């Protein structure tokens, strides 16, 4: 037989594109269309429907950036269409390659009930399955003219990312607005040919199956009359029946398809637009569930369910029914698909608390899988929190984006900091927006790394990022691929069904220990510093508000603000979404985040002030009560307690002129030298009699890098940024601060200005540095460097409920890839018996490098905090303006010292007029056991909740003393549900914790 393969394949493509697909809609008539442009923000549905409008024709421009237009389409079904299926084709001017990233619409009936969403890959609305002819058609479309931010030439700076800076020019042109006959037989032929073509082109050229499909396709094309596709489509399908019915091999890989629409809670659109994206997508998915009995759809993010409950109750009613039917499946168990690197300990725990509680209260469902396909790396604290929240499975996808090293597993046990393991799947299809194409399925099979041990994987199926979800075409593919020779077997099923089967067949899966570090998007630890500072400050204010409100409630009857705290927590959790906290959203999102954090701070400060006033008592005598919210004692004030301090004020450290210029700061423990450049050239540990700063080096050195990554500007920093650096050593002035207790340094560079205050507190083993930067650079990266005379092959970086170690060397490609990493309040490194910590109140990104000095062969280990960046996409003015940072160098620091100083710098003392000291509600006698939450139980029953963890990485025994008569104690999960009775000894709860164990206690008050 002569080889005509390429000719036949080209014939198939052309006939399918130019003749068969167009014949799906063989007849059409135009609809009449009017439009009303809503002024300002979106209006209620009833107002949009009632507004009327002016005529608009296909080809007319509409839609300024971020506008809302209400289209009314009307017409009647031609009588000669009687008995046929009729659909409306409503094309708002879509580019089919950009579902979720441009204009979208939600279709309503005249009574305001939603029908379905419109997007570039879902433009049809079913009018009737069997027309009688003459039916009147009247529909309303709420269309949002979201501008395209990430275009074909990506990462181009644009002012379209905020309504305040966008122009008012229309972005779209109205396209087809027709009634059309839908030919189901032709549509089915299209699906047949697409599936077979996709399978055929992925099979080896010398595969017999490939040639069988080719010849069947050729025979089908021969049967098609190009002038009467509809009349001959059935005959063409008959010629494909044999190859479509040939069963898959017994060893064929099994793919569990899960209907899915990854919807970023904010990204290249503001929060308010996500509310509408969720409504459009869920309208489509509930409609599809009604049409397709085998379809299962999964949706994560309790926040998104809450949005449609509040803003689109008619859509939510359909969702709730579909959930009750078991086919619309809540997954994830978190409030949002959050970043997991930067949220603090309690915040990450509360993601599960508020997410899982929503699903329990709304649907009676205990979600068991954690669904985080798109976050930018995964904290080693997660496995323990997953299990403590009552979940047992974890899913991610983003690790497939790593640049340097291919992750070695797809199904595995993930072991966290404390040793907890969670069964984890990483879909080999390498997308969370799968379409079930032949290319995708073949890639999943080839890519799957568990061959020989496991046989199945999962495919999140549907258009995502900006939503859209699964389409009827994807379901048609799945039906054909359920048992098809040459292909993986595909079936739609719940995620829990997949995990149960995967676990059963692969219980002895390999183990990965520690964080799931993403070798990409490292700059998300620094971009949009205000958003990150707002998060950090909000987390600590929430800790204080709960602590002092609970203490005041128990001590004085102060009304505990349950509702306010619940609402504020949800606001903070929302802004930890993986495109908000990482700083990768448009300007509009970060502008609103700044306003939200300001409102949160004001409300929490009010709660704290009210509770402290209730606790401090009468301030008429002029006394002062010092409140210490930190979980460690300081200055004579116990942890989580207060003391009546009168007019006590600590004496400042000594500050004097330095020989050769500059200043010397000295106290009992340290002597620090600041040279005439305003750089710290010595921090001498008087007790250990050793220097902290590397010989010939200077600390608190601000360094400026060019920062222009190859792509993903706000997300990425590429390793080559280190190739060029400018040390900011020139000082405009170096002198004493106005109070004479600190050194003040002022620098200018480029268009920016830095003012620093360097101080050595009395009695403290730390050098404090306060830095204010008026930042006006572009595509630059600002670091603060601390070159230390320490030989260490690893650093400890704080993460949620503990710390993890990362190498300082680059022995392997895995080590080298971690050139920028995350730390919370501290980075610590040490030689045996002596260490150094750098603590901070506002930063997350850091890097560590090491060199060996030729002159003395000593090792210099340099820790650098990442302060500011200036990418131009997607926000062209990222981080411009004034920023304030506080960080400190802590010599002679153990891990315990690093933990303590990290909390102290983030939880400063509060001084309140009054005369009453306050005992803590809960006190632990082991400083290595750290309390992260003291609050009243969320069920308002009056019990006190205490959450704590072992912070040093070792076993710990401790005694927790309740500051009130204790009736009983129980060990709880994160949702405060008792799991076991805790032993008590009067008002004391003895504790025994393993390394990094998190423990939640519920303390019942007596009397």
């Amino acid at each position: 037989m002569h080889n005509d393969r390429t000719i036949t394949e080209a014939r198939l493509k052309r006939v399918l594109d130019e003749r068969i697909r167009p014949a799906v809609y063989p007849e059409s008539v135009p609809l009449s269309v009017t439009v009303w442009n809503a002024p300002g923000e979106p209006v209620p549905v009833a107002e949009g429907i009632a507004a009327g409008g002016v005529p608009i024709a296909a080809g007319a421009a509409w839609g300024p950036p971020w506008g809302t237009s209400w289209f009314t389409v009307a017409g009647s079904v031609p009588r000669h269409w009687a008995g046929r299926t009729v659909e409306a084709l409503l094309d708002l001017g879509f580019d089919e390659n950009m579902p979720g990233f441009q204009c979208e619409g939600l279709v309503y009936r005249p009574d305001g009930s939603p029908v379905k969403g419109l997007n570039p890959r879902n433009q049809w609305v079913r009018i009737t399955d069997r027309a009688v002819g003459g039916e009147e058609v009247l529909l309303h479309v709420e269309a949002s003219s979201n501008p395209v931010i990430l275009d074909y030439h990506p990462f181009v700076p644009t002012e379209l990312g905020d309504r305040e800076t966008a122009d008012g020019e229309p972005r779209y042109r109205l396209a087809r607005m027709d009634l059309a006959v839908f030919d189901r037989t032709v549509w089915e032929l299209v699906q047949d040919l697409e599936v077979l073509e996709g399978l055929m082109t992925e099979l080896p050229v010398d595969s017999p199956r490939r040639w069988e499909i080719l010849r069947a396709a050729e025979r089908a094309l021969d049967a098609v009359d190009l002038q009467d596709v509809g009349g001959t489509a059935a005959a063409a399908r008959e010629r494909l029946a044999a190859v479509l019915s040939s069963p898959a091999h017994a060893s064929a890989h099994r793919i569990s398809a899960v209907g899915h629409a990854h919807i970023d809670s904010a990204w290249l659109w503001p929060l308010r637009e996500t509310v509408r994206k969720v409504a459009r997508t869920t309208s489509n998915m509930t409609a599809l569930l009604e049409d397709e009995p085998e379809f299962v759809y999964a949706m994560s993010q309790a926040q998104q369910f809450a949005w449609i409950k509040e803003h689109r109750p008619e859509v939510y009613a359909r969702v709730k029914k579909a959930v009750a039917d078991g086919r619309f499946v809540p997954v994830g168990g978190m409030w949002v698909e959050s970043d997991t690197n930067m949220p603090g300990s309690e915040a990450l725990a509360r993601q599960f608390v508020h997410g899982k509680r929503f699903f329990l209260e709304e649907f009676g469902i205990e979600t068991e899988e954690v669904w985080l396909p798109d976050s930018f790396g995964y904290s080693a604290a997660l496995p323990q929190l997953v299990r403590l929240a009552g979940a047992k499975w974890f899913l991610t996808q983003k690790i497939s984006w790593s640049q340097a090293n291919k992750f070695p597993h797809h199904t595995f046990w993930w072991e966290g900091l404390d040793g907890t393991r969670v069964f984890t799947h990483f879909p080999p299809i390498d997308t969370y927006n799968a379409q079930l194409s032949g290319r995708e399925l073949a890639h999943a099979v080839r890519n799957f790394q568990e061959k020989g041990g496991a046989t199945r994987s999962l495919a999140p199926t549907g258009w995502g990022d900006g939503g859209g979800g699964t389409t009827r075409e994807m379901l048609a593919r799945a039906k054909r691929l359920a048992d098809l020779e040459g292909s993986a077997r595909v079936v739609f099923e719940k995620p829990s069904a997949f995990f149960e089967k995967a676990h059963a067949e692969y219980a002895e899966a390999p183990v990965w220990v520690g964080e799931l570090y993403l070798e990409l998007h490292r700059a998300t630890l620094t971009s949009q510093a205000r958003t990150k500072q707002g998060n950090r400050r909000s987390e600590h204010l929430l800790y204080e508000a709960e602590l002092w409100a609970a203490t005041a409630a128990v001590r004085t009857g102060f009304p505990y603000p349950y509702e306010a705290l619940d609402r504020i927590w949800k606001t903070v959790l929302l802004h930890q979404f993986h495109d908000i906290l990482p700083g990768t959203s448009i300007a509009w999102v970060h502008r609103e985040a700044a306003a939200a954090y300001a409102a949160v701070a004001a409300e929490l400060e009010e709660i704290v002030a009210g509770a402290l006033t209730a606790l401090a008592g009468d301030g008429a005598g002029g006394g002062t009560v010092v409140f210490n919210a930190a979980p460690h004692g300081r200055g004579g004030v116990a942890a989580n307690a207060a003391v009546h301090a009168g007019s006590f004020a600590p004496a400042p450290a000594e500050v004097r002129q330095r020989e050769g210029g500059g200043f010397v700061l000295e106290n009992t423990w340290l002597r620090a030298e600041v040279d005439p450049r305003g750089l710290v050239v010595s921090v001498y540990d008087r007790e250990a009699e050793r220097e902290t700063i590397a010989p010939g080096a200077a600390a608190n050195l601000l360094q400026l890098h060019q920062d222009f990554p190859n792509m993903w500007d706000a997300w990425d920093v590429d390793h080559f940024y280190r190739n060029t650096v400018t040390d900011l050593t020139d000082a405009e002035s170096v002198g004493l601060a106005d109070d004479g207790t600190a050194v003040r340094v002022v620098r200018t560079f480029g268009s920016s200005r830095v003012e620093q205050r360097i101080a050595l507190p009395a009695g403290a083993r730390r050098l404090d540095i306060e830095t204010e930067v008026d930042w006006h650079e572009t595509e630059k990266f600002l670091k603060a460097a601390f070159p230390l005379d320490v030989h260490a092959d690893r650093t400890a970086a704080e993460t949620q409920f503990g710390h993890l170690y990362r190498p300082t060397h680059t022995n392997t490609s895995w080590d080298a890839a971690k050139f920028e990493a995350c730390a919370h309040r501290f980075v610590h490194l040490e030689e045996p018996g002596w260490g150094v910590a750098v603590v901070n109140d506002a930063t997350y990104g850091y890097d560590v490098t090491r060199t060996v000095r030729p002159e003395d062969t000593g090792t210099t280990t340099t820790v650098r905090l990442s302060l500011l960046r200036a990418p131009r996409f997607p926000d062209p003015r990222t981080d411009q303006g004034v920023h304030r940072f506080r960080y400190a160098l802590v010599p002679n620091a153990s891990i315990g010292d690093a933990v303590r100083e990290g909390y102290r710098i983030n939880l400063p003392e509060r001084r309140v007029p009054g005369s009453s000291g306050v005992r803590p509600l809960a006190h632990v006698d082991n400083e290595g056991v750290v309390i992260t939450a003291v609050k009243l139980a969320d069920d308002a029953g009056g019990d006190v909740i205490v959450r704590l963890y072992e912070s040093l990485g070792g076993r710990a025994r401790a005694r927790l003393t309740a500051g009130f008569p204790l009736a009983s104690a129980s060990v709880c999960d994160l949702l405060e549900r008792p799991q076991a009775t805790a032993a008590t000894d009067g008002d004391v709860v003895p504790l025994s914790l393993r390394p990094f164990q998190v423990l939640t206690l519920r303390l019942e008050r007596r009397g």
Side-chain angles (χ1 to χ4, degrees), residues 384-405:
Q384 182 176 196
L385 298 181
V386 168
R387 298 301 296 270
L388 289 175
K392 56 185 180 181
W393 301 311
F394 186 84
L395 178 136
T396 178
Q397 182 66 69
K398 200 70 173 189
I399 298 300
S400 66
W401 287 44
S402 284
Q403 288 177 315
N405 298 285

Side-chain angles (χ1 to χ4, degrees), residues 154 240 366 395 458 469 534 556 558 573 734:
L240 297 173
E366 178 92 35
L395 178 136
L458 185 145
T556 73
F558 179 81
L573 298 178
V734 178

Side-chain angles (χ1 to χ4, degrees), residues 842-874:
T843 65
Y844 294 95
Y846 79 97
D847 73 86
V848 177
T849 53
R850 64 197 299 272
T851 57
V852 174
R853 303 185 295 271
E855 59 273 14
D856 66 356
T857 68
T859 301
T860 296
T861 306
T862 301
V863 177
R864 299 198 304 169
L865 301 180
S866 302
L867 302 184
L868 290 166
R869 298 184 69 237
R872 299 181 63 212
F873 182 88

Side-chain angles (χ1 to χ4, degrees), residues 423-676:
F423 193 73
T424 299
H425 184 62
F426 163 30
I429 202 164
D430 280 353
T431 178
Y432 44 79
N433 298 325
Q435 303 166 52
L436 302 182
S437 69
R439 179 188 57 80
E440 289 174 340
L441 297 182
H443 174 75
V445 173
R446 287 192 295 264
N447 191 37
F448 188 55
Q449 299 189 84
E450 316 308 320
K451 297 182 185 76
T455 63
R456 58 186 72 242
S457 65
L458 185 145
T461 302
W463 296 108
D465 287 317
T470 318
T471 64
R472 61 185 180 185
E473 288 79 15
M474 296 173 193
L475 290 172
R477 289 174 201 142
K479 291 175 183 176
R480 288 159 173 80
L481 294 165
D483 189 14
L484 183 62
E485 182 187 353
S487 172
R489 288 188 173 94
V490 179
V491 61
F492 269 92
E493 60 184 349
K494 295 179 182 180
S496 58
F498 161 77
F499 274 107
E500 291 284 7
K501 296 170 186 174
H503 186 198
E505 77 167 2
Y506 204 41
E508 300 302 318
V511 178
W512 179 270
V513 178
E515 66 181 328
L516 296 176
Y517 179 91
L518 177 64
E519 297 173 353
L520 192 74
H521 292 359
R522 303 167 181 88
T524 58
L525 303 171
T526 306
S527 296
Q528 297 287 1
R530 289 185 190 86
T531 299
K532 291 169 171 57
Q533 291 170 336
N535 174 73
R536 177 77 69 87
R537 183 66 179 138
S538 297
E539 289 178 346
H540 288 91
L541 282 172
L542 275 161
Y543 170 80
E544 286 194 86
E546 288 183 338
L547 167 67
W548 299 129
T551 306
V554 172
R555 300 274 185 256
T556 73
F558 179 81
Y560 191 80
Y562 292 101
E563 183 278 331
L565 290 172
D566 180 81
R567 173 174 40 79
I568 293 169
W569 262 117
K570 288 173 180 174
T571 297
V572 173
L573 298 178
L574 166 60
H575 287 87
Q576 290 175 343
F577 179 74
H578 66 253
D579 277 308
I580 303 179
L581 180 54
T584 53
S585 289
I586 56 174
W588 189 343
V589 173
H590 292 289
R591 172 171 57 82
E592 290 190 331
Y597 286 131
V600 160
E603 190 169 1
L604 289 174
E605 290 285 6
E606 186 177 347
I607 292 170
V608 170
L612 296 186
T613 299
L615 289 166
D618 185 6
T624 298
V625 179
V626 180
F627 285 85
N628 173 31
H632 305 87
R634 62 177 168 193
V637 186
N640 301 328
V643 65
H644 178 221
S647 59
F648 168 77
E654 178 187 356
V655 183
R656 64 178 185 271
Q657 294 285 333
R658 173 179 177 269
E659 185 177 345
F663 297 89
V664 176
L665 301 90
E666 190 164 10
N667 67 12
T668 306
W669 305 107
L670 301 175
R671 182 178 67 247
E673 297 185 27
V674 180
D675 74 2

